[in-house]
Amino acid sequence: MSNYFPIIKTKRLILREIVAEDAGSILKYLSDREVMKHYGLEPFTTVEDALNEIAWYKSILNEKSGIRWGITFKEQDDIIGSCGFLNRFHNHYRAEIGYELSKGYWGNGIANEALGAVIKYGFTHFDLRRIEALIEPANAASQKLIKKHGFIKEGLLRSYEFTCGKFDDLYMYSLLKQDFEKLQA
């Protein structure tokens, strides 16, 4: 990653950097209990919570351990979700992918469109060989979405995270570059 923030354009979306001025938009959907159900954090309650999330996005970018794009429609600039990489290990050519979307936009193919663009960007520009997705077993919608992109379930990581006062099991999914290229052919 260089000093500029890459913008990704798809048919309907612009994926762009999330800045402090977006805190209100982020608070709007990250305060929703349903959106946060599988996020690993309690629903946000203040603009400060949103600003801390934006600061985390900037920190992973600066550390070169990840990048998070804000999802917007081409005709409007409000952030309605985010998608990107975290836990990037350059020496192992792998990263984890994460995403969330405002509930009002669920079921319209937006997460699918954004995820596809970010996956392609990761393999093309970051020289990733492996992209991982960690998903709670109860999050059937996320598992369905990731499988659409060719991810394969590798197994269950038992008590893998301690979030919101409890231990969570997570499924490990992965997509390898060669499998992605076969799907694109």
Side-chain angles (χ1 to χ4, degrees), residues 5-63:
F5 194 96
I7 294 173
I8 302 173
K9 295 180 181 182
T10 69
K11 183 179 176 183
R12 299 180 291 171
L13 308 172
I14 294 177
L15 307 181
R16 65 162 176 86
E17 185 172 14
I18 300 172
V19 295
E21 292 77 20
D22 296 314
S25 296
I26 289 175
L27 177 60
K28 186 176 178 181
Y29 65 82
L30 292 183
S31 62
D32 185 320
R33 189 161 294 286
E34 283 188 69
V35 171
M36 298 299 279
K37 186 175 182 179
H38 303 291
Y39 199 77
L41 296 173
E42 292 293 338
F44 289 11
T45 57
T46 66
V47 171
E48 190 66 30
D49 291 338
L51 288 170
N52 288 337
E53 185 78 355
I54 294 167
W56 178 71
Y57 298 156
K58 290 194 181 314
S59 74
I60 64 172
L61 182 65
N62 291 337
E63 296 164 0

Side-chain angles (χ1 to χ4, degrees), residues 99 115 134-136 139-147 173:
Y99 46 86
L115 186 64
L134 298 171
I135 303 172
E136 290 182 11
N139 193 347
S142 189
Q143 291 178 63
K144 182 178 176 183
L145 174 62
I146 214 81
K147 287 176 188 176
Y173 283 84

Side-chain angles (χ1 to χ4, degrees), residues 154-182:
E154 295 184 335
L156 180 68
L157 304 172
R158 300 179 308 145
S159 291
Y160 190 74
E161 285 184 338
F162 185 77
T163 59
C164 302
K166 63 183 178 19
F167 287 98
D168 291 322
D169 295 342
L170 296 175
Y171 283 131
M172 170 66 80
Y173 283 84
S174 72
L175 178 63
L176 302 182
K177 185 173 185 176
Q178 64 263 28
D179 297 334
F180 171 77
E181 289 169 344
K182 285 178 193 171

